[in-house]
Coordinates of all heavy atoms in Angstrom, one line a residue:
G975 N 15.8 -4.0 11.1 CA 14.8 -3.1 10.7 C 13.4 -3.9 10.4 O 12.3 -3.4 10.7
A976 N 13.5 -5.1 9.9 CA 12.3 -5.8 9.5 C 11.7 -6.3 10.8 O 10.4 -6.3 10.8 CB 12.7 -7.1 8.7
I977 N 12.3 -6.5 11.8 CA 11.8 -6.9 13.2 C 11.0 -5.8 13.7 O 9.8 -6.0 14.2 CB 12.8 -7.4 14.1 CG1 13.4 -8.8 13.6 CG2 12.2 -7.7 15.5 CD1 14.6 -9.3 14.3
V978 N 11.6 -4.7 13.9 CA 10.9 -3.4 14.3 C 9.7 -3.1 13.5 O 8.6 -2.7 14.0 CB 12.0 -2.2 14.2 CG1 11.3 -0.9 14.7 CG2 13.0 -2.5 15.2
R979 N 9.8 -3.2 12.2 CA 8.7 -2.9 11.4 C 7.5 -3.9 11.6 O 6.4 -3.5 11.7 CB 9.0 -3.0 9.9 CG 8.0 -2.6 8.9 CD 8.4 -2.7 7.4 NE 9.6 -2.0 7.2 CZ 10.8 -2.6 6.7 NH1 10.8 -3.9 6.5 NH2 11.9 -2.0 6.6
A980 N 7.8 -5.2 11.8 CA 6.8 -6.2 12.1 C 6.1 -5.9 13.5 O 5.0 -6.2 13.7 CB 7.4 -7.6 12.1
V981 N 6.9 -5.3 14.4 CA 6.3 -5.1 15.7 C 5.5 -3.8 15.8 O 4.4 -3.8 16.4 CB 7.5 -5.1 16.8 CG1 6.9 -4.6 18.1 CG2 8.1 -6.4 16.9
W982 N 6.0 -2.8 15.1 CA 5.5 -1.5 15.3 C 4.6 -0.9 14.3 O 3.7 -0.1 14.3 CB 6.5 -0.4 15.5 CG 7.3 -0.6 16.7 CD1 8.6 -1.0 16.8 CD2 6.9 -0.5 18.2 NE1 9.1 -1.1 18.2 CE2 8.0 -0.8 19.0 CE3 5.7 -0.1 18.7 CZ2 8.0 -0.8 20.2 CZ3 5.6 0.0 20.0 CH2 6.7 -0.4 20.9
L983 N 4.7 -1.5 13.0 CA 3.9 -1.0 11.9 C 2.8 -2.0 11.6 O 2.9 -3.2 11.5 CB 4.8 -1.0 10.7 CG 4.5 -0.1 9.5 CD1 4.3 1.3 10.0 CD2 5.7 -0.2 8.5
R984 N 1.6 -1.4 11.4 CA 0.4 -2.1 11.0 C -0.3 -1.4 9.8 O -0.5 -0.2 9.7 CB -0.6 -2.1 12.2 CG -0.1 -2.8 13.4 CD -0.2 -4.3 13.2 NE 0.4 -5.0 14.4 CZ 1.4 -5.7 14.4 NH1 2.1 -6.0 13.3 NH2 1.9 -6.3 15.5
Y985 N -0.6 -2.2 8.8 CA -1.4 -1.9 7.6 C -2.8 -2.3 7.7 O -3.1 -3.5 8.1 CB -0.8 -2.4 6.3 CG 0.6 -2.0 6.1 CD1 1.6 -3.0 6.2 CD2 1.1 -0.6 6.0 CE1 3.0 -2.6 6.0 CE2 2.4 -0.4 5.8 CZ 3.3 -1.3 5.7 OH 4.7 -1.0 5.6
R986 N -3.8 -1.5 7.4 CA -5.2 -1.9 7.4 C -5.7 -1.4 6.1 O -5.8 -0.1 5.9 CB -5.9 -1.3 8.6 CG -7.3 -1.8 8.6 CD -8.0 -1.5 9.9 NE -9.3 -2.0 9.9 CZ -10.2 -1.7 10.7 NH1 -9.9 -0.9 11.8 NH2 -11.4 -2.1 10.6
I987 N -6.1 -2.3 5.2 CA -6.6 -1.9 3.8 C -8.1 -2.3 3.9 O -8.5 -3.4 4.0 CB -5.8 -2.6 2.8 CG1 -4.4 -2.0 2.6 CG2 -6.5 -2.3 1.3 CD1 -3.3 -2.9 2.8
T988 N -9.0 -1.3 3.8 CA -10.4 -1.7 3.8 C -11.0 -1.2 2.5 O -10.4 -0.8 1.5 CB -11.1 -0.9 4.9 OG1 -11.0 0.5 4.7 CG2 -10.5 -1.2 6.3
N989 N -12.4 -1.3 2.4 CA -13.1 -0.8 1.2 C -13.0 0.7 1.0 O -13.3 1.2 -0.1 CB -14.5 -1.3 1.3 CG -14.6 -2.8 1.0 OD1 -13.7 -3.4 0.4 ND2 -15.6 -3.4 1.5
R990 N -12.8 1.4 2.1 CA -12.8 2.8 2.0 C -11.5 3.5 2.1 O -11.3 4.6 1.5 CB -13.7 3.4 3.2 CG -15.1 3.1 3.0 CD -15.9 3.7 4.2 NE -17.3 3.5 3.9 CZ -18.2 4.4 3.9 NH1 -17.8 5.7 4.0 NH2 -19.4 4.1 3.7
R991 N -10.5 3.0 2.7 CA -9.2 3.6 2.9 C -8.1 2.6 3.1 O -8.2 1.4 3.4 CB -9.3 4.6 4.0 CG -9.5 4.0 5.4 CD -9.5 5.0 6.4 NE -10.6 6.1 6.2 CZ -11.7 6.1 6.7 NH1 -12.2 5.1 7.5 NH2 -12.6 7.0 6.4
I992 N -6.9 3.1 3.2 CA -5.6 2.5 3.5 C -5.1 3.2 4.8 O -5.0 4.5 4.8 CB -4.6 2.5 2.4 CG1 -5.1 1.9 1.2 CG2 -3.3 2.0 3.0 CD1 -4.2 2.1 0.1
S993 N -5.0 2.5 5.9 CA -4.4 3.1 7.1 C -3.1 2.4 7.5 O -3.0 1.2 7.5 CB -5.5 2.9 8.3 OG -6.7 3.5 8.0
V994 N -2.2 3.2 7.9 CA -0.9 2.8 8.3 C -0.7 3.4 9.7 O -0.7 4.6 9.9 CB 0.2 3.2 7.4 CG1 1.6 2.8 8.0 CG2 0.0 2.8 6.0
T995 N -0.6 2.5 10.7 CA -0.3 2.8 12.1 C 1.2 2.4 12.4 O 1.6 1.4 12.1 CB -1.3 2.2 13.0 OG1 -2.6 2.4 12.6 CG2 -1.1 2.6 14.5
G996 N 1.9 3.3 12.9 CA 3.4 3.1 13.3 C 3.9 4.1 14.2 O 3.1 4.7 15.0
G997 N 5.2 4.3 14.2 CA 5.8 5.2 15.2 C 6.0 4.5 16.5 O 5.7 3.3 16.7
W998 N 6.5 5.3 17.4 CA 6.7 4.7 18.7 C 5.4 4.3 19.4 O 4.6 5.2 19.6 CB 7.5 5.8 19.6 CG 7.7 5.4 21.0 CD1 7.2 5.8 22.1 CD2 8.7 4.3 21.4 NE1 7.7 5.2 23.2 CE2 8.6 4.3 22.8 CE3 9.6 3.6 20.7 CZ2 9.4 3.4 23.4 CZ3 10.4 2.7 21.4 CH2 10.3 2.6 22.8
M999 N 5.3 3.0 19.8 CA 4.1 2.5 20.4 C 2.8 2.7 19.5 O 1.7 2.8 20.0 CB 3.9 3.1 21.8 CG 5.1 3.0 22.7 SD 5.3 1.4 23.4 CE 3.9 1.4 24.5
G1000 N 3.0 2.8 18.2 CA 1.8 3.0 17.4 C 1.0 4.2 17.4 O -0.2 4.3 17.3
R1001 N 1.8 5.3 17.8 CA 1.1 6.7 18.0 C 0.9 7.4 16.7 O 0.1 8.4 16.7 CB 1.8 7.5 19.0 CG 1.9 6.9 20.4 CD 2.6 7.8 21.3 NE 2.7 7.2 22.6 CZ 3.5 7.4 23.4 NH1 4.6 8.2 23.2 NH2 3.6 6.7 24.6
D1002 N 1.5 7.1 15.6 CA 1.4 7.9 14.4 C 0.4 7.0 13.5 O 0.6 5.8 13.3 CB 2.7 8.0 13.6 CG 3.7 8.8 14.4 OD1 3.3 9.7 15.1 OD2 4.9 8.5 14.3
R1003 N -0.5 7.7 12.8 CA -1.5 7.0 11.9 C -1.6 7.9 10.7 O -1.8 9.1 10.8 CB -2.8 7.0 12.6 CG -3.8 6.2 11.7 CD -5.1 6.0 12.5 NE -6.1 5.5 11.6 CZ -7.3 5.1 12.0 NH1 -7.5 5.0 13.2 NH2 -8.1 4.7 11.1
T1004 N -1.6 7.3 9.5 CA -1.8 7.8 8.3 C -2.9 7.1 7.6 O -3.0 6.0 7.4 CB -0.4 7.7 7.4 OG1 0.6 8.3 8.0 CG2 -0.6 8.4 6.1
D1005 N -3.9 8.0 7.2 CA -5.1 7.4 6.4 C -5.1 8.1 5.1 O -4.8 9.3 4.9 CB -6.4 7.8 7.2 CG -6.5 7.0 8.5 OD1 -6.2 5.8 8.5 OD2 -7.0 7.6 9.4
L1006 N -5.4 7.3 4.1 CA -5.7 7.9 2.7 C -6.9 7.2 2.1 O -7.1 6.0 2.3 CB -4.4 7.8 1.8 CG -3.8 6.5 1.5 CD1 -4.3 6.0 0.2 CD2 -2.3 6.6 1.5
I1007 N -7.7 7.9 1.4 CA -8.8 7.4 0.7 C -8.5 7.2 -0.8 O -7.6 7.7 -1.4 CB -10.0 8.3 0.9 CG1 -9.7 9.8 0.3 CG2 -10.5 8.4 2.3 CD1 -10.9 10.7 0.4
Y1008 N -9.2 6.2 -1.3 CA -9.0 5.8 -2.6 C -9.0 6.9 -3.8 O -8.3 6.9 -4.7 CB -9.8 4.6 -3.0 CG -9.4 3.4 -2.3 CD1 -10.3 2.8 -1.4 CD2 -8.1 2.9 -2.3 CE1 -10.0 1.7 -0.7 CE2 -7.8 1.7 -1.6 CZ -8.8 1.2 -0.7 OH -8.4 0.1 0.1
P1009 N -9.9 7.9 -3.6 CA -10.0 8.9 -4.6 C -8.8 9.8 -4.7 O -8.5 10.5 -5.7 CB -11.2 9.8 -4.2 CG -12.1 8.9 -3.5 CD -11.1 8.0 -2.7
E1010 N -7.9 9.8 -3.7 CA -6.7 10.6 -3.7 C -5.5 9.8 -4.4 O -4.4 10.4 -4.7 CB -6.3 10.9 -2.2 CG -7.2 11.8 -1.6 CD -7.2 13.2 -2.2 OE1 -6.1 13.7 -2.5 OE2 -8.2 13.8 -2.4
V1011 N -5.7 8.6 -4.7 CA -4.6 7.7 -5.4 C -4.6 7.9 -6.8 O -5.6 7.9 -7.5 CB -4.9 6.3 -5.0 CG1 -3.8 5.4 -5.7 CG2 -4.9 6.0 -3.5
V1012 N -3.3 8.2 -7.3 CA -3.2 8.4 -8.7 C -2.3 7.3 -9.4 O -2.5 7.0 -10.6 CB -2.5 9.7 -9.1 CG1 -3.4 10.9 -8.8 CG2 -1.1 9.9 -8.6
K1013 N -1.6 6.5 -8.6 CA -0.9 5.4 -9.1 C -0.5 4.4 -8.0 O -0.2 4.9 -6.8 CB 0.3 5.8 -9.9 CG 1.2 4.7 -10.5 CD 2.2 5.3 -11.4 CE 3.4 6.0 -10.6 NZ 4.5 6.4 -11.5
V1014 N -0.5 3.1 -8.3 CA 0.0 2.1 -7.4 C 1.0 1.2 -8.1 O 0.6 0.8 -9.2 CB -1.2 1.2 -6.8 CG1 -0.6 0.2 -5.9 CG2 -2.2 2.0 -6.2
V1015 N 2.2 1.0 -7.5 CA 3.3 0.1 -8.1 C 3.5 -0.9 -7.1 O 3.7 -0.7 -6.0 CB 4.4 1.0 -8.5 CG1 5.5 0.1 -9.0 CG2 4.1 2.2 -9.4
K1016 N 3.7 -2.2 -7.7 CA 4.0 -3.2 -6.8 C 5.4 -3.7 -7.1 O 5.8 -3.7 -8.4 CB 2.9 -4.5 -6.8 CG 2.9 -5.1 -8.2 CD 1.8 -6.3 -8.1 CE 1.7 -6.8 -9.5 NZ 0.7 -7.9 -9.6
M1017 N 6.1 -4.2 -6.1 CA 7.5 -4.8 -6.3 C 7.5 -6.0 -5.5 O 7.6 -6.0 -4.3 CB 8.5 -3.8 -5.8 CG 8.6 -2.5 -6.7 SD 9.3 -1.2 -5.9 CE 8.0 -0.6 -4.9
P1018 N 7.7 -7.2 -6.2 CA 7.9 -8.5 -5.5 C 9.3 -8.6 -4.7 O 10.2 -8.0 -5.2 CB 7.8 -9.6 -6.6 CG 7.9 -8.9 -7.8 CD 7.7 -7.4 -7.6
R1019 N 9.2 -9.2 -3.6 CA 10.4 -9.5 -2.8 C 10.4 -10.9 -2.4 O 9.4 -11.5 -2.3 CB 10.6 -8.5 -1.6 CG 10.3 -7.1 -1.9 CD 11.7 -6.5 -2.0 NE 11.6 -5.1 -2.1 CZ 12.1 -4.2 -3.1 NH1 12.8 -4.9 -4.0 NH2 11.9 -3.0 -3.2
G1020 N 11.5 -11.5 -2.0 CA 11.6 -12.8 -1.4 C 11.0 -13.9 -2.2 O 10.2 -14.6 -1.8
W1021 N 11.5 -13.9 -3.5 CA 11.0 -14.9 -4.4 C 9.5 -14.8 -4.7 O 8.9 -15.8 -5.0 CB 11.5 -16.3 -4.1 CG 12.8 -16.4 -4.0 CD1 13.8 -16.6 -5.0 CD2 13.7 -16.4 -2.7 NE1 15.0 -16.6 -4.5 CE2 15.0 -16.6 -3.1 CE3 13.4 -16.4 -1.4 CZ2 16.0 -16.6 -2.2 CZ3 14.2 -16.3 -0.5 CH2 15.7 -16.5 -0.8
G1022 N 8.9 -13.6 -4.5 CA 7.5 -13.4 -4.8 C 6.6 -13.8 -3.6 O 5.3 -13.6 -3.9
S1023 N 7.1 -14.1 -2.5 CA 6.1 -14.6 -1.5 C 5.7 -13.3 -0.7 O 4.7 -13.5 0.1 CB 6.8 -15.5 -0.5 OG 8.1 -15.0 0.0
W1024 N 6.4 -12.2 -0.7 CA 5.9 -11.0 -0.2 C 6.4 -9.8 -1.2 O 7.1 -10.1 -2.0 CB 6.4 -10.7 1.3 CG 7.8 -10.5 1.5 CD1 8.4 -9.2 1.3 CD2 8.8 -11.4 1.6 NE1 9.7 -9.4 1.6 CE2 10.0 -10.7 1.7 CE3 8.9 -12.8 1.8 CZ2 11.2 -11.3 2.0 CZ3 10.1 -13.4 2.0 CH2 11.3 -12.7 2.1
G1025 N 6.0 -8.7 -0.9 CA 6.3 -7.5 -1.6 C 6.0 -6.1 -1.0 O 5.5 -6.1 0.0
D1026 N 6.4 -5.2 -1.9 CA 6.2 -3.8 -1.5 C 5.2 -3.1 -2.4 O 5.1 -3.5 -3.6 CB 7.5 -2.9 -1.5 CG 8.6 -3.6 -0.6 OD1 8.2 -4.3 0.3 OD2 9.8 -3.2 -0.7
L1027 N 4.5 -2.1 -1.9 CA 3.6 -1.4 -2.8 C 3.9 0.1 -2.5 O 4.2 0.5 -1.3 CB 2.1 -1.6 -2.3 CG 1.5 -3.0 -2.5 CD1 0.1 -3.1 -1.9 CD2 1.5 -3.5 -3.9
V1028 N 3.9 0.9 -3.5 CA 4.1 2.3 -3.5 C 2.8 3.0 -4.0 O 2.5 2.7 -5.2 CB 5.3 2.8 -4.3 CG1 5.4 4.3 -4.2 CG2 6.6 2.1 -3.8
V1029 N 2.2 3.8 -3.1 CA 0.9 4.4 -3.5 C 1.3 5.9 -3.7 O 1.9 6.6 -2.8 CB -0.1 4.2 -2.4 CG1 -1.4 4.9 -2.7 CG2 -0.3 2.8 -2.2
T1030 N 1.0 6.4 -4.9 CA 1.3 7.8 -5.2 C -0.1 8.6 -5.1 O -1.0 8.1 -5.6 CB 1.9 8.0 -6.6 OG1 3.1 7.2 -6.6 CG2 2.2 9.5 -7.0
L1031 N -0.1 9.8 -4.4 CA -1.2 10.5 -4.2 C -1.3 11.7 -5.1 O -0.3 12.1 -5.8 CB -1.3 11.0 -2.8 CG -1.3 9.9 -1.7 CD1 -1.2 10.5 -0.3 CD2 -2.4 9.0 -1.9
K1032 N -2.5 12.3 -5.2 CA -2.6 13.5 -6.1 C -1.6 14.6 -5.8 O -1.2 15.3 -6.7 CB -4.1 14.0 -5.9 CG -5.1 13.2 -6.6 CD -6.5 13.9 -6.5 CE -7.5 12.9 -7.1 NZ -8.9 13.5 -7.0
D1033 N -1.2 14.8 -4.5 CA -0.3 15.9 -4.2 C 1.2 15.6 -4.5 O 2.0 16.4 -4.2 CB -0.5 16.4 -2.7 CG -0.2 15.4 -1.7 OD1 0.1 14.2 -2.1 OD2 -0.3 15.6 -0.5
G1034 N 1.4 14.5 -5.0 CA 2.7 14.0 -5.4 C 3.4 13.1 -4.3 O 4.5 12.7 -4.5
S1035 N 2.9 13.2 -3.1 CA 3.5 12.3 -2.0 C 3.2 10.8 -2.1 O 2.4 10.4 -3.0 CB 2.9 12.8 -0.6 OG 1.5 12.4 -0.6
R1036 N 4.2 10.1 -1.7 CA 4.2 8.7 -1.8 C 4.1 8.0 -0.5 O 4.7 8.3 0.4 CB 5.4 8.1 -2.6 CG 5.4 8.7 -4.0 CD 6.6 8.2 -4.7 NE 6.6 8.6 -6.1 CZ 7.5 8.6 -6.9 NH1 8.7 8.1 -6.5 NH2 7.5 9.1 -8.1
L1037 N 3.4 6.8 -0.5 CA 3.1 6.1 0.7 C 3.8 4.7 0.4 O 3.3 4.1 -0.5 CB 1.8 6.0 1.2 CG 1.6 5.2 2.5 CD1 2.3 5.7 3.7 CD2 0.1 5.0 2.7
E1038 N 4.8 4.2 1.1 CA 5.4 2.9 0.9 C 4.8 1.9 1.9 O 4.8 2.2 3.0 CB 6.9 3.0 1.0 CG 7.7 3.8 -0.1 CD 9.2 3.7 0.1 OE1 9.6 2.8 0.8 OE2 9.8 4.5 -0.6
L1039 N 4.3 0.8 1.4 CA 3.8 -0.3 2.2 C 4.8 -1.4 2.0 O 4.9 -2.0 0.9 CB 2.4 -0.7 1.7 CG 1.4 0.4 1.6 CD1 0.1 -0.1 1.1 CD2 1.2 1.0 3.0
R1040 N 5.6 -1.7 3.0 CA 6.8 -2.6 2.8 C 6.4 -4.0 3.4 O 5.8 -4.1 4.5 CB 8.0 -2.1 3.4 CG 8.3 -0.7 2.7 CD 9.6 -0.1 3.4 NE 10.4 0.4 2.3 CZ 11.7 0.1 2.2 NH1 12.3 -0.7 3.1 NH2 12.3 0.4 1.1
A1041 N 7.0 -5.0 2.8 CA 7.1 -6.3 3.3 C 5.7 -6.8 3.6 O 5.3 -7.3 4.7 CB 8.0 -6.5 4.6
I1042 N 4.8 -6.8 2.6 CA 3.4 -7.1 2.8 C 3.2 -8.6 2.2 O 3.4 -8.9 1.1 CB 2.5 -6.2 2.0 CG1 2.5 -4.8 2.6 CG2 1.0 -6.6 2.1 CD1 1.7 -3.7 1.8
P1043 N 2.7 -9.5 3.0 CA 2.4 -10.8 2.6 C 1.1 -10.6 1.7 O 0.3 -9.8 1.9 CB 2.2 -11.6 3.8 CG 1.9 -10.6 4.8 CD 2.5 -9.3 4.5
R1044 N 0.9 -11.6 0.8 CA -0.3 -11.5 -0.2 C -0.4 -10.2 -0.9 O -1.5 -9.6 -1.0 CB -1.6 -11.8 0.6 CG -1.6 -13.2 1.4 CD -2.9 -13.5 2.0 NE -4.0 -12.6 1.9 CZ -4.4 -11.7 2.9 NH1 -3.9 -11.8 4.1 NH2 -5.3 -10.8 2.8
F1045 N 0.8 -9.6 -1.2 CA 0.7 -8.2 -1.7 C 0.0 -8.2 -3.1 O -0.6 -7.2 -3.5 CB 2.2 -7.6 -1.9 CG 2.9 -8.3 -3.0 CD1 3.2 -7.6 -4.2 CD2 3.6 -9.5 -2.9 CE1 3.8 -8.1 -5.2 CE2 4.3 -10.1 -3.9 CZ 4.5 -9.4 -5.1
R1046 N 0.0 -9.3 -3.9 CA -0.8 -9.3 -5.2 C -2.2 -9.2 -5.0 O -2.9 -8.4 -5.7 CB -0.4 -10.6 -5.9 CG 1.1 -10.6 -6.4 CD 1.3 -11.9 -7.3 NE 2.7 -11.9 -7.8 CZ 3.7 -12.4 -7.2 NH1 3.6 -13.1 -6.0 NH2 4.9 -12.3 -7.7
E1047 N -2.8 -9.9 -4.0 CA -4.2 -9.7 -3.6 C -4.5 -8.3 -3.2 O -5.5 -7.8 -3.7 CB -4.5 -10.8 -2.6 CG -4.4 -12.2 -2.9 CD -4.6 -13.0 -1.7 OE1 -5.4 -12.7 -0.9 OE2 -4.0 -14.1 -1.7
I1048 N -3.7 -7.8 -2.3 CA -3.9 -6.4 -1.9 C -3.8 -5.4 -3.0 O -4.6 -4.5 -3.1 CB -2.9 -6.2 -0.7 CG1 -3.2 -7.0 0.5 CG2 -3.0 -4.6 -0.3 CD1 -2.3 -7.0 1.6
Y1049 N -2.8 -5.6 -3.9 CA -2.7 -4.8 -5.1 C -3.9 -4.8 -5.9 O -4.5 -3.7 -6.3 CB -1.5 -5.2 -5.9 CG -1.3 -4.5 -7.3 CD1 -0.8 -3.1 -7.3 CD2 -1.8 -5.1 -8.4 CE1 -0.6 -2.5 -8.4 CE2 -1.7 -4.4 -9.6 CZ -1.1 -3.0 -9.7 OH -1.1 -2.4 -10.8
D1050 N -4.4 -5.9 -6.2 CA -5.7 -6.1 -7.0 C -6.8 -5.5 -6.2 O -7.7 -4.8 -6.9 CB -6.0 -7.6 -7.2 CG -5.0 -8.2 -8.1 OD1 -4.2 -7.5 -8.9 OD2 -4.9 -9.5 -8.1
H1051 N -7.0 -5.6 -4.9 CA -8.0 -5.0 -4.2 C -8.0 -3.4 -4.3 O -9.0 -2.8 -4.6 CB -8.0 -5.4 -2.7 CG -9.0 -4.6 -1.9 ND1 -10.3 -5.1 -1.8 CD2 -8.8 -3.7 -0.9 CE1 -10.9 -4.2 -1.1 NE2 -10.1 -3.5 -0.4
I1052 N -6.8 -2.9 -4.2 CA -6.6 -1.4 -4.2 C -6.9 -1.0 -5.7 O -7.6 0.0 -5.9 CB -5.2 -1.0 -3.8 CG1 -5.0 -1.2 -2.3 CG2 -4.9 0.4 -4.1 CD1 -3.6 -1.1 -1.8
N1053 N -6.5 -1.8 -6.6 CA -6.7 -1.5 -8.0 C -8.2 -1.4 -8.3 O -8.6 -0.6 -9.3 CB -5.9 -2.4 -8.9 CG -5.1 -1.7 -10.0 OD1 -5.0 -0.6 -9.9 ND2 -4.7 -2.5 -10.9
D1054 N -9.0 -2.2 -7.7 CA -10.3 -2.2 -8.0 C -11.1 -1.0 -7.4 O -12.1 -0.5 -7.9 CB -11.0 -3.5 -7.3 CG -10.7 -4.7 -8.1 OD1 -10.4 -4.7 -9.3 OD2 -10.9 -5.8 -7.5
K1055 N -10.5 -0.4 -6.4 CA -11.2 0.7 -5.8 C -10.7 2.1 -6.3 O -11.4 3.1 -6.1 CB -10.8 0.7 -4.2 CG -11.2 -0.5 -3.5 CD -12.7 -0.7 -3.5 CE -13.1 -2.0 -2.8 NZ -14.5 -2.3 -3.1
I1056 N -9.7 2.2 -7.0 CA -9.1 3.5 -7.5 C -9.9 3.8 -8.8 O -10.5 3.0 -9.4 CB -7.6 3.5 -7.7 CG1 -7.1 2.5 -8.6 CG2 -7.0 3.4 -6.2 CD1 -5.6 2.5 -8.8
S1057 N -9.7 5.0 -9.2 CA -10.3 5.5 -10.5 C -9.8 4.8 -11.7 O -8.7 4.4 -11.7 CB -10.2 7.0 -10.6 OG -8.9 7.3 -10.9
P1058 N -10.6 4.8 -12.8 CA -10.0 4.2 -14.0 C -8.7 4.9 -14.6 O -7.9 4.1 -15.0 CB -11.1 4.4 -15.1 CG -12.4 4.4 -14.1 CD -11.9 5.2 -12.9
K1059 N -8.6 6.1 -14.4 CA -7.4 6.8 -14.8 C -6.3 6.4 -14.0 O -5.1 6.2 -14.5 CB -7.6 8.4 -14.7 CG -6.5 9.2 -15.2 CD -6.9 10.7 -15.1 CE -5.8 11.5 -15.6 NZ -6.1 13.0 -15.5
A1060 N -6.3 6.2 -12.7 CA -5.3 5.8 -11.9 C -5.0 4.4 -12.1 O -3.8 4.0 -12.1 CB -5.7 5.9 -10.3
R1061 N -5.9 3.6 -12.4 CA -5.7 2.2 -12.8 C -4.9 2.1 -14.0 O -4.0 1.3 -14.1 CB -7.0 1.5 -13.0 CG -6.9 0.0 -12.9 CD -8.4 -0.7 -13.0 NE -9.2 -0.3 -11.9 CZ -10.4 0.3 -12.1 NH1 -11.0 0.4 -13.2 NH2 -11.1 0.7 -11.0
D1062 N -5.2 2.9 -15.0 CA -4.3 2.9 -16.2 C -2.9 3.4 -15.9 O -2.0 2.8 -16.5 CB -5.1 3.9 -17.3 CG -6.3 3.3 -17.8 OD1 -6.7 2.1 -17.7 OD2 -7.1 4.1 -18.4
A1063 N -2.8 4.3 -15.2 CA -1.3 4.7 -14.8 C -0.6 3.7 -14.1 O 0.5 3.5 -14.3 CB -1.5 6.0 -13.9
S1064 N -1.3 2.9 -13.2 CA -0.6 1.9 -12.5 C -0.2 0.7 -13.5 O 0.8 0.1 -13.3 CB -1.6 1.3 -11.4 OG -2.0 2.3 -10.5
E1065 N -1.2 0.3 -14.4 CA -0.9 -0.6 -15.4 C 0.3 -0.3 -16.3 O 1.2 -1.1 -16.5 CB -2.1 -0.9 -16.2 CG -3.2 -1.7 -15.5 CD -3.0 -3.0 -14.9 OE1 -2.2 -3.7 -15.7 OE2 -3.4 -3.4 -13.9
S1066 N 0.4 1.0 -16.7 CA 1.4 1.5 -17.6 C 2.8 1.5 -16.8 O 3.8 1.3 -17.3 CB 1.3 2.8 -18.2 OG 1.1 3.9 -17.2
A1067 N 2.7 1.6 -15.4 CA 3.9 1.6 -14.6 C 4.6 0.2 -14.5 O 5.8 0.1 -14.3 CB 3.7 2.2 -13.3
R1068 N 3.7 -0.7 -14.7 CA 4.3 -2.1 -14.6 C 4.9 -2.6 -15.8 O 5.8 -3.5 -15.9 CB 3.1 -3.1 -14.5 CG 2.4 -3.0 -13.1 CD 1.5 -4.1 -12.7 NE 0.9 -4.7 -13.9 CZ 0.0 -5.8 -13.8 NH1 -0.2 -6.3 -12.6 NH2 -0.4 -6.3 -14.9
R1069 N 4.8 -1.9 -16.9 CA 5.5 -2.3 -18.1 C 6.8 -1.8 -18.3 O 7.3 -0.9 -17.8 CB 4.6 -1.9 -19.4 CG 3.3 -2.6 -19.4 CD 2.4 -2.1 -20.4 NE 1.1 -2.7 -20.2 CZ 0.0 -2.2 -20.7 NH1 0.0 -1.1 -21.4 NH2 -1.1 -2.9 -20.5

């Protein structure tokens, strides 16, 4: 599963959105903008060298970003872009 994910799945995190490209030959794409995010949770894996992020949206759906290197930096970047209310929800989820 990890090999297939590394080959077919691409994450792109910019100042405006999070994009996930995957599926067969990269034909599926999911974009979400930061105002839609209500909570972000990080989970370290592999002795903390990589991790997973779970982004919860206003409609209740969740997007899992799995096996991300430098996930702490990416979490901090996303946390800087989301609303203060979402930031508070993300911080309370870590406790």
Side-chain angles (χ1 to χ4, degrees):
I977 294 170
V978 172
R979 188 178 309 117
V981 172
W982 297 110
L983 197 59
R984 297 284 178 242
Y985 302 116
R986 185 171 180 189
I987 294 122
T988 66
N989 289 334
R990 293 182 173 238
R991 69 180 51 96
I992 299 171
S993 297
V994 181
T995 305
W998 180 251
M999 304 286 286
R1001 293 183 184 154
D1002 297 329
R1003 181 174 168 172
T1004 302
D1005 291 319
L1006 59 99
I1007 56 174
Y1008 294 116
E1010 293 295 316
V1011 175
V1012 295
K1013 183 170 69 170
V1014 180
V1015 179
K1016 66 179 176 180
M1017 293 159 281
R1019 305 264 188 236
W1021 299 283
S1023 57
W1024 71 85
D1026 299 344
L1027 298 176
V1028 178
V1029 180
T1030 306
L1031 304 177
K1032 285 182 180 178
D1033 65 358
S1035 62
R1036 293 182 179 165
L1037 178 66
E1038 292 184 15
L1039 309 173
R1040 301 179 132 232
I1042 299 178
R1044 299 182 6 248
F1045 75 100
R1046 287 183 180 93
E1047 295 171 33
I1048 293 170
Y1049 172 83
D1050 291 339
H1051 175 77
I1052 293 171
N1053 228 11
D1054 288 341
K1055 302 296 178 191
I1056 60 178
S1057 71
K1059 186 176 178 180
R1061 195 174 303 126
D1062 291 341
S1064 298
E1065 291 293 324
S1066 66
R1068 290 190 334 175
R1069 295 179 188 152

